Amino acid sequence: MGIYLLQRYASQLHPLTLAIGVTAFALLVANRYASEWIWQTWLSSSYAKWAERLFPLILLGIAIVLSMALHWSTHGVATIGRIPQGLPSFTLPHISDLQEALKLLPTAGLMALIVFVSSSSVASTYARFRGESFDANRELTGLGLANLSGGLFQSFSVAGGFSRTAINADSGAKTPLASLVTVLVMIAALIAFSNALAPLPYALLGATIMASIIGLIDIATLKSAWQRDRLDGASFLAAFVGVLIFGLNTAGHWSNGVIRQSHLAVE
């Protein structure tokens, strides 16, 4: 949400939810950028690293306990609620009407384009941060295979997201093994921990994403672009300020408009 929308809906802010979110955000930012003062003053270097990595998980557990003890949901705090248990079942795609399938093609094509652009942006950004190579063809192949397999289990479109990737990288993930661990944790949550996660406030999840996204603000690239090409630097800065003021929802509204126009064109 940008500054414009924040001002527009300021009257709808829920004080307790705001307090939870701001407190969690402040603690997470302090844990990330002031860990040497918070942990290393009384823990050894190795233990301080573990404390920094585990703190978000500990904070999540504390929030769940407080939510249950203080009955936050009855005071207007939005929580995750009950998560449906069980794993998705294998289902072969079924097309009952070819005309309906043809109507979906423009929307599906637009979604595929957005998925590829979003995932490529995430992958190329982190490849640049880590000095690794990036291959757009391999990225497209991986997305295609992931969506084909996901379609057999009625999944949403598979794409790389900045928020999820930022949280993963912020937690210290360096190899694809981290994704496997994430999958195992999600399976465990669907099978056994759905009720345990129900009291978790959404504000804490939002704070976690915001604290992780801060690391993606690339000041060095802006400085380099401004020194080499003022026009390029100005467009870089304009995009940043535009998102900060109006939020990413503006792009979402534009995409929805394109999708609706595609439906009208087909009909």
Side-chain angles (χ1 to χ4, degrees):
M1 178 180 289
I3 296 175
Y4 170 75
L5 290 179
L6 184 62
Q7 292 179 342
R8 182 178 177 182
Y9 295 104
S11 60
Q12 300 180 20
L13 289 176
H14 187 260
L16 181 56
T17 302
L18 179 63
I20 294 170
V22 170
T23 302
F25 177 74
L27 291 173
L28 290 168
V29 170
N31 175 67
R32 178 173 182 179
Y33 295 101
S35 60
E36 57 184 37
W37 293 287
I38 296 175
W39 304 116
Q40 295 183 16
T41 54
W42 59 285
L43 292 175
S44 64
S45 191
S46 58
Y47 282 110
K49 184 176 180 180
W50 276 102
E52 181 184 350
R53 297 291 185 228
L54 291 175
F55 179 75
L57 184 61
I58 295 172
L59 184 62
L60 181 146
I62 293 174
I64 291 176
V65 172
L66 289 176
S67 179
M68 294 174 62
L70 302 178
H71 306 287
W72 280 348
S73 60
T74 62
H75 292 85
V77 177
T79 58
I80 290 180
R82 184 179 178 276
I83 301 174
Q85 287 186 317
L87 299 177
S89 57
F90 178 84
T91 305
L92 289 174
H94 175 67
I95 301 176
S96 58
D97 188 346
L98 182 60
Q99 293 299 323
E100 289 295 327
L102 291 176
K103 288 182 180 180
L104 290 175
L105 283 180
T107 302
L110 180 60
M111 290 175 62
L113 178 61
I114 294 174
V115 163
F116 177 64
V117 171
S118 172
S119 300
S120 297
S121 299
V122 176
S124 60
T125 297
Y126 277 92
R128 186 176 69 255
F129 285 166
R130 297 182 175 185
E132 301 172 348
S133 60
F134 169 72
D135 189 337
N137 290 329
R138 293 183 62 184
E139 184 73 19
L140 182 59
T141 301
L143 285 171
L145 292 174
N147 279 283
L148 284 174
S149 58
L152 299 175
F153 295 91
Q154 307 174 60
S155 76
F156 289 103
S157 298
V158 180
F162 269 111
S163 57
R164 297 188 299 273
T165 306
I167 293 174
N168 209 21
D170 193 42
S171 301
K174 296 184 181 300
T175 69
L177 181 61
S179 297
L180 179 60
V181 173
T182 301
V183 170
L184 293 177
V185 171
M186 289 181 63
I187 291 175
L190 288 173
I191 294 177
F193 301 113
S194 60
N195 293 329
L197 294 174
L200 180 64
Y202 276 113
L204 179 61
L205 297 181
T208 303
I209 294 173
M210 290 174 63
S212 300
I213 286 294
I214 289 178
L216 291 176
I217 299 177
D218 191 357
I219 302 297
T221 301
L222 174 60
K223 290 181 178 179
S224 177
W226 188 263
Q227 291 172 355
R228 298 182 180 184
D229 188 337
R230 292 293 177 89
L231 183 60
D232 194 21
S235 61
F236 192 118
L237 188 61
F240 175 77
V241 173
V243 171
L244 190 64
I245 295 176
F246 298 103
L248 288 173
N249 286 336
T250 302
H253 293 325
W254 175 83
S255 297
N256 290 335
V258 172
I259 291 174
R260 286 193 294 269
Q261 290 176 6
S262 298
H263 278 299
L264 291 174
V266 171
E267 292 176 358

